[in-house]
Amino acid sequence: MTTMTADEAVRTAILRVAPEAVFTELDPAESLREALDLDSLDFLAVLENVALLTGVSVPESAYATVDSLGGLAGYIVEHAR
């Protein structure tokens, strides 16, 4: 999976949970939870949508790594089959 494809999947997953998200205002390294005011259930919903869209599941041990656009897209590229 390419970085561009992973980024598109991440954005789609986020919009399914937080349709008001404005990506032009979001730094790729910024915490998604803080920037989009996602609670833990919303964050889990984003990760579930990512798994549905990409086939990549994120274990709890990687949550700190994937709490940004860049981190989540990078994780997907690294772990995609």
Side-chain angles (χ1 to χ4, degrees):
M1 177 171 291
T2 68
T3 301
M4 184 183 295
T5 306
D7 187 60
E8 289 174 19
V10 169
R11 290 171 188 259
T12 299
I14 290 170
L15 287 173
R16 288 181 178 179
V17 177
E20 71 284 353
V22 179
F23 295 105
T24 56
E25 298 174 5
L26 189 61
D27 183 310
E30 187 175 8
S31 167
L32 293 173
R33 295 175 80 174
E34 290 179 22
L36 302 176
D37 196 29
L38 301 176
D39 63 22
S40 57
L41 292 178
D42 290 336
F43 185 68
L44 288 175
V46 168
L47 297 181
E48 288 174 355
N49 276 288
V50 163
L52 289 171
L53 293 166
T54 66
V56 176
S57 296
V58 179
E60 188 174 347
S61 61
Y63 286 1
T65 303
V66 300
D67 186 36
S68 67
L69 282 176
L72 186 49
Y75 186 91
I76 293 166
V77 169
E78 185 177 320
H79 292 87
R81 292 179 173 65

